Amino acid sequence: MNRLLLQATAVLFLLILSSCDTIREKREACPSIVTLDLSNTDPLIDYLTIWFFGQDGALLEKDTVLKENYRNLYNVKMKRELVECHVWGNPDTDSLYYCRKDIDATGETAMAEIVVCREHADIFLLLDGYAEGGAVSSSIACTTKGRMVNGDYVEKENIIEGVVGKGPEGKLLFRHRMIRQKDISAMKLTITSFSPDGLRHEHVYNLGEWLRSLDYDMNARNLEDVVIEADFSFSYFNITVEPWNFGEKFEVTV
């Protein structure tokens, strides 16, 4: 009788061990629930596009979140692994925002706070002594044309045309919307004007050197704006770096 009891106990113990192994295997096969906290997103950003990539670079999930849902926690199920999360704000515009998070989704749940940073800056050109009706335009040449989903730079010549507006004290304003650049050394500012007799005059300046002399930080979390002031004879230039919301005081015609 005792032998039978011992044998029954051993069998029961083996069944328990087997059951534990089975449960563990099933739990590991279950997806991980990844939660993103988007609540710190600026409401001026209309929408976010979220991309998840696996360790092998394969796209796991892609989704769009509208600004009315930023206060809600974002949840998604995916296979358990280390995940790259790339979040872009306003990706179809020149007002870019970006955040990258490496998420350990090997457990049952994972949580990450997303704070997108300003990937663009405005470069303002203010011309003093401008005569109403005169013809003038401006552009900035740079070497980064865009960004890949994973944040890599698209290195290609890009010409940013100045958008005309009204600056303070009757000054003529041009706004150039620049995305984050991999290299600022080659950036050029071109101002084109026409004299009363119709002759075209082109003035080219090494904007990259100006920015470097100001220690402009192209790697800052949030890019700052740049203001270039000049008289219409282009005999002097004054360049300053300003907070990102500095341009709100200007009236720009888009």
Side-chain angles (χ1 to χ4, degrees):
M1 179 67 180
N2 289 338
R3 179 177 295 179
L4 290 175
L5 180 60
L6 289 173
Q7 288 176 344
T9 302
V11 170
L12 179 62
F13 182 69
L14 289 173
L15 286 173
I16 291 174
L17 287 178
S18 175
S19 175
C20 288
D21 286 342
T22 303
I23 291 172
R24 183 171 65 248
E25 287 169 5
K26 287 182 179 179
R27 287 165 69 89
E28 289 174 351
C30 291
S32 177
I33 300 177
V34 177
T35 300
L36 302 183
D37 180 358
L38 308 173
S39 60
N40 288 317
T41 304
D42 191 325
L44 293 177
I45 300 172
D46 292 328
Y47 64 100
L48 300 173
T49 300
I50 304 172
W51 305 70
F52 293 97
F53 293 92
Q55 290 177 279
D56 59 357
L59 176 64
L60 302 177
E61 295 284 344
K62 178 191 173 186
D63 203 358
T64 297
V65 178
L66 302 179
K67 63 181 178 182
E68 54 263 33
N69 295 318
Y70 292 165
R71 290 293 173 185
N72 302 327
L73 291 176
Y74 176 86
N75 297 295
V76 62
K77 294 180 180 180
M78 60 182 57
K79 187 181 77 171
R80 297 191 184 193
E81 61 176 309
L82 299 177
V83 173
E84 282 186 17
C85 177
H86 300 269
V87 182
W88 287 94
N90 296 337
D92 294 326
T93 73
D94 58 3
S95 302
L96 279 177
Y97 294 81
Y98 176 60
C99 177
R100 169 183 169 156
K101 284 286 184 178
D102 293 323
I103 301 174
D104 184 351
T106 57
E108 294 182 17
T109 62
M111 179 83 176
E113 181 183 12
I114 301 298
V115 181
V116 292
C117 298
R118 192 172 186 250
E119 293 292 307
H120 67 277
D122 284 327
I123 300 178
F124 297 101
L125 172 64
L126 291 170
L127 291 179
D128 196 9
Y130 167 72
E132 192 68 34
V136 62
S137 64
S138 69
S139 64
I140 292 175
C142 48
T143 57
T144 298
K145 192 173 181 64
R147 304 285 293 280
M148 303 292 287
V149 170
N150 65 357
D152 289 347
Y153 293 89
V154 178
E155 296 183 68
K156 188 177 181 180
E157 183 182 25
N158 185 27
I159 305 297
I160 307 168
E161 299 292 344
V163 179
V164 181
K166 293 180 181 179
E169 301 173 357
K171 295 178 181 178
L172 179 64
L173 168 73
F174 291 95
R175 187 200 73 186
H176 311 80
R177 176 63 54 86
M178 171 191 71
I179 65 169
R180 192 184 297 273
Q181 297 291 304
K182 185 175 181 179
D183 178 24
I184 65 173
S185 62
M187 292 181 65
K188 304 288 185 184
L189 168 66
T190 299
I191 304 173
T192 304
S193 61
F194 291 85
S195 58
D197 56 5
L199 292 178
R200 184 176 184 272
H201 303 275
E202 188 172 274
H203 313 268
V204 181
Y205 304 94
N206 194 329
L207 178 59
E209 288 295 329
W210 291 351
L211 294 178
R212 283 202 298 216
S213 69
L214 292 171
D215 293 325
Y216 186 84
D217 188 1
M218 195 62 78
N219 296 314
R221 282 180 57 84
N222 292 287
L223 292 181
E224 294 185 299
D225 290 341
V226 177
V227 178
I228 305 169
E229 297 182 81
D231 66 342
F232 200 62
S233 64
F234 311 118
S235 59
Y236 81 88
F237 286 88
N238 181 54
I239 308 170
T240 57
V241 177
E242 302 289 350
W244 68 267
N245 58 348
F246 179 80
E248 292 177 358
K249 66 181 68 176
F250 299 144
E251 178 182 342
V252 179
T253 304
V254 180

